[in-house]
């Protein structure tokens, strides 16, 4: 059946791409927190997001084919349902990897924001101390004059 062949090609193409993205994400994410690189985590998150979108589009396509086949009373619905199950499992694995990468990226971005805030405070500290010193001198001058 042409539908089954088309869906087989879709799943056969998509499955290794998704598995490669998940494996790459694992290599990037399965290191000590101190060794995680924000750019690398962002990269795998973007790749996984693209794979999630592809799998969701494939699931939609399979559902459409199943509905069309059932309307036309086509044989082999069980075979088409098998593709739906394969894609559902692939979708779950992809979502899990994407969620893990997204969570990791959020933590890294928060840590980066905290570092930036601390650095900004450190940069402002000398001028703040200078202002306090100037204010104290001005207060002493006013007190001496009074």
């Amino acid at each position: 059946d042409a539908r089954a062949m088309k869906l087989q090609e879709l799943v056969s193409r998509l499955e290794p791409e998704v598995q490669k993205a998940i494996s790459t994400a694992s290599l990037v994410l399965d290191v000590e927190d101190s060794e995680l690189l924000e750019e690398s985590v962002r990269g795998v998150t973007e790749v996984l997001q693209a794979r999630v979108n592809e799998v969701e589009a494939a699931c939609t396509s399979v559902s459409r084919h199943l509905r069309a086949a059932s309307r036309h009373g086509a044989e082999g619905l069980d075979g088409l349902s098998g593709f739906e199950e394969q894609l559902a499992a692939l979708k779950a694995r992809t979502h899990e990897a994407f969620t893990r990468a997204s969570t990791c990226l959020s933590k890294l971005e928060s840590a980066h924001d905290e570092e930036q805030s601390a650095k900004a405070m450190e940069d402002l500290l000398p001028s703040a101390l200078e202002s306090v010193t100037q204010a104290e001198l001005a207060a002493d001058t006013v007190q001496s004059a009074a």
Side-chain angles (χ1 to χ4, degrees):
D1 178 50
R3 284 185 213 281
M5 288 183 68
K6 183 176 180 178
L7 294 178
Q8 178 63 47
E9 288 174 17
L10 176 67
V11 172
S12 294
R13 179 191 57 80
L14 196 56
E15 209 162 17
E17 290 176 6
V18 168
Q19 191 52 49
K20 183 177 179 184
I22 291 171
S23 296
T24 301
S26 291
L27 289 173
V28 170
L29 300 174
D30 290 344
V31 297
E32 295 292 323
D33 286 349
S34 62
E35 295 178 18
L36 283 170
L37 299 175
E38 186 175 341
E39 296 81 20
S40 299
V41 175
R42 180 173 282 107
V44 296
T45 302
E46 290 171 0
V47 169
L48 287 168
Q49 178 64 62
R51 296 301 174 256
V52 164
N53 293 343
E54 290 174 2
V55 171
E56 288 176 348
C59 287
T60 302
S61 179
V62 169
S63 294
R64 217 175 23 250
H65 281 288
L66 280 170
R67 282 193 306 276
S70 67
R71 274 195 306 265
H72 292 60
E75 294 181 19
L77 282 176
D78 291 338
L80 296 179
S81 297
F83 293 122
E84 189 174 43
E85 292 167 8
Q86 274 183 286
L87 285 172
L90 195 59
K91 183 178 176 180
R93 290 195 322 264
T94 310
H95 271 286
E96 181 182 332
F98 173 71
T99 300
R100 180 177 176 224
S102 294
T103 301
C104 186
L105 181 59
S106 293
K107 288 179 185 177
L108 288 171
E109 288 173 339
S110 292
H112 179 74
D113 290 346
E114 288 173 14
E115 287 174 16
Q116 292 293 87
S117 295
K119 173 111 175 72
M121 291 295 274
E122 285 177 21
D123 291 346
L124 291 174
L125 190 58
S127 62
L129 288 173
E130 180 63 28
S131 296
V132 169
T133 302
Q134 292 298 325
E136 287 175 343
L137 288 175
D140 288 346
T141 303
V142 170
Q143 237 179 7
S144 300

